[in-house]
């Protein structure tokens, strides 16, 4: 039986299982203690996302290593330094609509293209105010970023194999251009043959044009739920063409 990706949303009740902790065997250095403290702060962001989603019946899933940690460890992976949340397009749009109303502006900041003109990524971040985190590529751009939870959007892709490959490839490289425009950093998963072209287009194309192309591509299936999805994290490379017929 084929299932839509709504069937993948089955980890929500696991997200708040107890407190984040590192077992004693994992706390050996000051770095481990710092990482554990980071995870506890990130969990506060996840709890806030969960609260809003429960209130408005918004479905989400833990993503990437966060999901793996719940399945394999029953908690955050002890050496993982971030928390990822995934939402289908319709749930993501609903969350982005209600979150600004619900969030305590003194405690949280929802960083996205609407709230930060320098933010070119298609995904969003829920940041904890009164915190800061240093990452080299952000420090180079003098970007002040709070400790955060990533919120990724799942877009539907055409069921047709040929069209799916075209749409997913165009989406991936549009996001690579946006990434270079924002950080002057070349995505590791991008084909080296396209490096010069990506750099050139990043310099020539205004962000409004890139956003428009991306919007057209992500809406190519309309509101129709298909059997294929792609998230908006370019770190996954152009392998985001995920089948949801096996779940």
């Amino acid at each position: 039986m084929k299932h839509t990706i709504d069937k993948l949303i089955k980890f929500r009740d696991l997200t708040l299982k107890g407190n984040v902790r590192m077992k004693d065997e994992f706390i050996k250095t000051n770095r481990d203690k710092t990482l554990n403290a980071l995870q506890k702060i990130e969990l506060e962001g996840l709890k806030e996302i969960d609260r809003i989603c429960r209130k408005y019946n918004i479905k989400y899933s833990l993503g990437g290593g966060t999901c793996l940690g719940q399945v394999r460890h029953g908690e955050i992976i002890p050496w993982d330094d971030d928390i990822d949340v995934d939402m289908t397009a319709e749930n993501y749009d609903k969350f982005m609509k209600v979150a600004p109303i619900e969030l305590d502006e003194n405690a949280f900041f929802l960083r996205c293209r609407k709230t930060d003109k320098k933010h070119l990524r298609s995904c969003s971040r829920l940041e904890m105010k009164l915190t800061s985190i240093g990452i080299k590529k952000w420090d180079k751009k003098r970007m002040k970023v709070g400790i955060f939870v990533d919120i990724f959007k799942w877009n539907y892709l055409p069921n047709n194999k040929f069209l799916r490959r075209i749409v997913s490839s165009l989406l991936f490289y549009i996001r690579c251009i946006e990434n270079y425009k924002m950080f002057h950093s070349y995505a590791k998963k991008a084909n080296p043959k396209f490096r010069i072209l990506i750099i050139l287009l990043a310099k020539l194309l205004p962000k409004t044009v890139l956003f428009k192309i991306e919007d057209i591509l992500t809406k190519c299936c309309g509101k129709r739920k298909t059997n294929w999805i792609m998230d908006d994290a370019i770190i996954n490379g152009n392998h985001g063409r995920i089948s949801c017929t096996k779940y």
Side-chain angles (χ1 to χ4, degrees), residues 5-246:
I5 57 177
D6 283 338
K7 297 297 183 181
L8 297 177
I9 314 296
K10 55 188 178 184
F11 297 108
R12 189 172 72 178
D13 291 333
L14 297 178
T15 59
L16 303 180
K17 184 186 289 184
N19 296 318
V20 173
R21 64 190 185 283
M22 270 190 178
K23 296 176 182 178
D24 291 340
E25 63 264 32
F26 292 119
I27 302 180
K28 298 179 180 178
T29 66
N30 287 332
R31 181 182 182 281
D32 296 333
K33 294 178 182 178
T34 301
L35 182 57
N36 188 223
L38 174 66
Q39 291 173 342
K40 289 179 179 178
I41 296 173
E42 290 171 341
L43 184 65
E44 294 304 309
L46 180 59
K47 286 180 179 179
E48 184 65 7
I49 292 172
D50 183 80
R51 181 188 69 79
I52 295 173
C53 288
R54 288 178 184 274
K55 181 175 180 178
Y56 291 92
N57 195 29
I58 297 171
K59 296 180 180 180
Y60 74 89
S61 169
L62 299 182
T66 312
C67 179
L68 176 62
Q70 284 291 347
V71 174
R72 191 172 67 184
H73 297 268
E75 58 186 11
I76 294 177
I77 295 174
W79 50 88
D80 197 4
D81 61 1
D82 69 345
I83 289 180
D84 297 327
V85 168
D86 292 335
M87 297 181 186
T88 61
E90 60 271 25
N91 284 289
Y92 180 89
D93 292 342
K94 186 176 180 180
F95 178 84
M96 295 301 290
K97 183 177 181 179
V98 301
I101 302 171
E102 285 290 327
L103 291 171
D104 180 355
E105 62 180 16
N106 294 316
F108 300 99
F109 175 58
L110 185 62
R111 191 179 298 275
C112 61
R113 289 172 176 173
K114 288 185 178 180
T115 60
D116 181 1
K117 299 302 181 183
K118 294 182 180 180
H119 184 82
L120 305 187
R121 301 177 66 197
S122 53
C123 59
S124 304
R125 292 197 303 259
L126 181 63
E127 298 182 16
M128 272 59 74
K129 286 190 173 181
L130 304 180
T131 69
S132 63
I133 186 169
I135 297 179
K136 287 183 179 180
K137 64 180 180 180
W138 292 334
D139 290 343
K140 289 179 180 179
K141 301 291 287 185
R142 297 182 179 179
M143 296 173 63
K144 295 182 179 179
V145 179
I147 294 174
F148 61 88
V149 175
D150 274 321
I151 307 172
F152 294 106
K153 183 178 182 178
W154 285 341
N155 297 113
Y156 293 103
L157 294 174
N159 284 327
N160 180 277
K161 185 177 181 179
F162 177 72
L163 291 177
R164 183 167 64 248
R165 187 171 186 84
I166 290 176
V167 172
S168 64
S169 295
L170 287 174
L171 268 175
F172 172 68
Y173 280 103
I174 283 292
R175 288 164 178 166
C176 286
I177 295 171
E178 293 168 350
N179 183 73
Y180 189 86
K181 199 174 187 71
M182 186 174 181
F183 297 116
H184 288 176
S185 173
Y186 190 74
K188 294 180 180 179
K189 295 293 182 71
N191 191 324
K193 295 179 180 178
F194 299 144
R195 184 184 182 93
I196 295 178
L197 180 61
I198 288 175
I199 293 174
L200 181 62
L201 291 175
K203 293 180 178 180
L204 293 177
L205 295 178
K207 63 182 182 180
T208 51
V209 172
L210 294 171
F211 293 169
K212 184 64 177 179
I213 296 173
E214 186 178 10
D215 186 58
I216 292 172
L217 291 169
T218 56
K219 294 180 179 178
C220 67
C221 295
K223 295 183 179 180
R224 181 170 55 91
K225 296 179 180 179
T226 66
N227 298 324
W228 294 83
I229 57 172
M230 180 178 183
D231 69 18
D232 49 9
I234 63 172
I235 195 171
N236 292 333
N238 193 19
H239 304 291
R241 302 185 296 273
I242 306 169
S243 171
C244 34
T245 62
K246 299 179 181 179

